[in-house]
Amino acid sequence: MPAFPAAIPSPSASTGASAMLRLLNRPEPGVVSLVGAGPGDPELLTLKALRALQEADVVIHDRLAPTAVLDRARAEARRIYVGKRRGEHSVPQEEIAALMVAEARAGRRVVRLKGGDPFVFGRGGEELEAVRAAGIEVDVVPGITAALGCAAAAGIPLTHRDQAQAVTFVTAETRAGGTGPDWASLSAANHTLAIYMGVAGAAAVQAGLLEGGRAADTPVAVIENGSRPDQRIVTGRLDGLARLIAREKVVSPALLIVGEVAAWAQSQAVVQEAAA
Ligand code: SAH
């Protein structure tokens, strides 16, 4: 006879037959995994992420999860898109959390697939909190964050003994009503900045860093669709960053790398900034 699943207590004097029946009819609660999908190249998935995808009943994803990664999920897994496309609203964060909880309560193995790493500018913390608060088991599978994937793809060492003793991951986007990053405090030489969500705010990034004292000729590299087949890398200098992005019509997702090390950027797709 098969053993009782661990979650179901064996009958005892205090558990009547009807209570037992209720327990047996109720599905065992599922689990939620917050899984880092990496920057796009499916070969940059961790083995753990791949296993979670192959065991999933449901995969909840947004626009940063490329098809090549989603294709690695179990064929029968239901895919639920919760991201936004241009001009459309994304599913509010509370609804995503409610969806994860509802699917897990129905006994399903839920993968919440997030671009890059779930805990780097991915609101993974909020999702973890919401699922935990609902009493659902949740685990986190790290992923290769855009800064690491894009730097590797462009051949840019984020740190370098001579050129960068520090690297900072920073977002250029600010929450409505919130304060932006303190660019002045990030303007020291030999400090690499990996700037997420920086396409729209490139002019503010450029102005903030120059005002903070960063040298005008500091190399910059912009990596669009890093690690994907349509990857493109454009390079220039800090005082031409916004112009470069506008001229090359850089689209999201793109990562900006500012710092001496950006001079290392190399790829067949590199477009050098034309002399001003
Ligand atoms: N959690 C993700 C980041 C989400 S924020 C991570 O760890 O990578 C979204 C931003 O990430 C984008 O605006 C862009 O700046 C960056 N990004 C994500 N994937 C990228 C890619 N393949 N190439 C370039 N930038 C990327």
Side-chain angles (χ1 to χ4, degrees):
M1 209 182 92
F4 277 114
I8 300 177
S10 44
S12 69
S14 61
T15 317
S18 62
M20 204 49 220
L21 206 63
R22 264 203 317 277
L23 277 171
L24 286 170
N25 284 339
R26 199 176 61 189
E28 257 194 278
V31 292
V32 172
S33 298
L34 301 180
V35 175
D41 177 355
E43 301 221 317
L44 293 178
L45 280 168
T46 63
L47 292 176
K48 220 171 199 172
L50 187 60
R51 188 164 54 80
L53 282 169
Q54 289 176 349
E55 290 175 353
D57 298 311
V58 183
V59 179
I60 301 174
H61 66 97
D62 45 46
R63 95 203 119 97
L64 268 183
T67 327
V69 170
L70 277 172
D71 284 350
R72 299 297 200 277
R74 203 159 64 90
E76 303 77 35
R78 193 152 45 92
R79 286 130 170 100
I80 305 178
Y81 178 77
V82 291
K84 66 175 168 208
R85 290 202 185 85
R86 211 173 289 274
E88 284 176 25
H89 290 293
S90 52
V91 176
Q93 202 62 38
E94 313 81 66
E95 276 180 41
I96 297 176
L99 182 63
M100 292 190 292
V101 168
E103 293 290 341
R105 285 208 173 120
R108 304 194 180 100
R109 281 161 302 184
V110 180
V111 163
R112 170 68 174 119
L113 191 64
K114 321 242 344 148
D117 181 86
F119 280 174
V120 179
F121 305 126
R123 304 188 71 173
E126 291 164 53
E127 295 183 4
L128 179 77
E129 204 181 354
V131 177
R132 267 195 190 146
I136 305 285
E137 189 186 330
V138 54
D139 59 48
V140 181
V141 180
I144 292 186
T145 190
L148 305 185
C150 291
I156 298 173
L158 290 173
T159 66
H160 185 288
R161 280 201 294 173
D162 301 323
Q163 295 175 355
Q165 282 78 47
V167 55
T168 296
F169 296 174
V170 54
T171 173
E173 204 166 84
T174 24
R175 203 177 177 160
T179 50
D182 175 12
W183 294 112
S185 73
L186 298 170
S187 297
N190 289 355
H191 183 165
T192 306
L193 304 179
I195 304 170
Y196 290 68
M197 293 171 270
V199 172
V205 171
Q206 175 181 331
L209 290 173
L210 290 174
E211 273 164 31
R214 195 89 201 228
D217 63 354
T218 304
V220 298
V222 179
I223 300 118
E224 178 187 84
N225 290 313
S227 90
R228 302 176 188 196
D230 49 357
Q231 168 177 299
R232 194 162 64 115
I233 300 167
V234 299
T235 63
R237 34 183 276 169
L238 180 58
D239 58 357
L241 177 63
R243 196 177 58 224
L244 176 70
I245 286 175
R247 197 195 65 210
E248 294 300 331
K249 300 186 173 57
V250 172
V251 294
S252 197
L255 185 92
L256 322 184
I257 297 185
V258 176
E260 289 73 3
V261 292
W264 290 75
Q266 51 173 267
S267 153
Q268 289 172 334
V270 168
V271 181
Q272 284 287 348
E273 185 187 12

